[in-house]
Amino acid sequence: MTGWMTPPEQGLLDAADTALQKALAGRLLVTAERFGSSMRTLYAGPGPLHGARPALAVGCYPGWDVARPGTVLAAEDNTLVRGPVQRHTWMGEVDGKAASLLSGLSAPPVVAAWYATGRLRRWAGPRGVIAAIDGRLRAVIEDKAAFDSLLENAGIPERMRIPAVRVDGALPALSELRRWVGSERLVVQAGADSGGRGTVFVDTAADLVQAAAMPGPYKVAAFVAGWSSNTTVLSVPDGNGSVAVYVDRPSHKAIGIAQAGIGPGKSAGNDWSRPWPEKAAADLVDAAVRIGHHLWTEHRMAGLFGLDAVLTPDGWAVFNEINCRNQGTTEVSGVNQQLRGLPPFLTAHLTVLLGGRVDWLDDPEDFNAGSVSAARTAGVGPFYLKLRHRGTAPVRVSGLRGPGVYRLDGDRLAWVRPGAHPAGANADLGELLLASLPAEHVVCLPGAELGTAEAVTTGPGSPFAAPHQLSALGAAVLDALAAHLTPALDPTSREVTPS
């Protein structure tokens, strides 16, 4: 670990682990997420919670030695292909095998996932339970068309709400929508999807046609320039009929970086080392607490959720989306809690979802004041940069040693040491954890996820220079990785042999 990271006190770790184990009640923890190494920040970092290492991980991509659960069932080990289609269809690929493995476990499973689905309930079987937000509740809370009403009902000040209208029928003409929200550029959203899906930026009539292809109802909002952001929030029942709401420091999220192979409206990664204006951070934390209490009052929702916001150029925060579940940020944002001497929020999330009691967290007001203080101060923070295959032909990753800590060596990447935790790499010294890299025998199709580059930095090592721009370091990392990609035959194409 870097010198910035002091592991949580052993007594605190023991309390968190004891609470989780009591909630598990002898059942076996199983993860069902795209990354077979999910939750590694809990069990492979400073002050590891050994009881949080899953007995089984079911996913699309395998883990690696220092980040491996007890057993990993990865779709990629069967397909030997990594690509955009595979990352969306992996559950079907492993469906029968996953159900068989879970039914054969020595104890009932607890399946940790982003949200509960019928397939996961079938995998868990009659003996198991799902530790995830209910999928139907998630769809209600994340409904993009209803987001402005959620903010209003939670008592969020108008200054933190983007001008928007809800459209239940067909979308009207572009000129009409622009007049309604007072903006030339529009953001049209629909549904309750993730990863930037369900969002269309509208500048032209053709863009509006694309937006109208989504099933409504729609939220049509003014486009707001600035840094996008994500904030992780944890609600914990307090035993007195309410919840204690803990708000992590907000990130700076880079969006739509074509240079990184990331499309419009999609995240290229998050950086928690950049400071926020104190007033904006304080407003955001106060609003997140209000939303947490509203979700509990209206839906009895507790556990993790995420708030997406925009930090405007004049230093104000406005909200644009809610994610009622684990997120792509959950793994790395847990380092923020570890930097403050606490186990990651995910530990409490699992305990809460299983009906356990979380009694090891700080007073929420003290914690949230600390989040504002941390956000306004330039200092150490984690980041991750998404790695994509940006080319137009299939490739393999060659000349690397798999996931671990690397440094830039000219236009290539040089192995430094094994690793599985973002704090094991100091970006200010040129180090990066390359997580979830594919094995050399795996064929990567255009657009494939090649993993993430993760580290901690005090600022100089950030991969982002602006809301839609890589830093020189970020660009150099992507170019160096591209130098390790060698051409491969496309196994998904079918050759026709002449008769």
Side-chain angles (χ1 to χ4, degrees), residues 406-421:
Y406 289 82
R407 59 176 171 78
L408 287 171
D409 184 9
D411 62 352
R412 311 283 287 188
L413 292 161
W415 173 265
V416 178
R417 57 182 171 271
H421 191 279

Side-chain angles (χ1 to χ4, degrees), residues 327-402:
Q327 305 165 88
T329 57
T330 301
E331 192 78 73
V332 178
S333 70
V335 178
N336 289 323
Q337 292 98 65
Q338 292 172 321
L339 284 167
R340 297 175 63 175
L342 292 171
F345 279 168
L346 185 55
T347 313
H349 173 72
L350 292 172
T351 304
V352 165
L353 292 181
L354 293 171
R357 183 182 177 191
V358 177
D359 55 7
W360 46 268
L361 281 166
D362 293 345
D363 174 82
E365 291 189 9
D366 291 343
F367 182 90
N368 293 337
S371 293
V372 175
S373 178
R376 67 178 174 81
T377 306
V380 61
F383 69 78
Y384 70 92
L385 167 65
K386 294 180 180 179
L387 307 175
R388 293 285 188 273
H389 172 30
R390 300 172 290 170
T392 58
V395 295
R396 301 181 193 270
V397 177
S398 303
L400 299 178
R401 293 175 54 179

Side-chain angles (χ1 to χ4, degrees), residues 98-111:
S100 177
L101 279 175
L102 267 73
S103 68
L105 292 173
S106 60
V110 168
V111 181

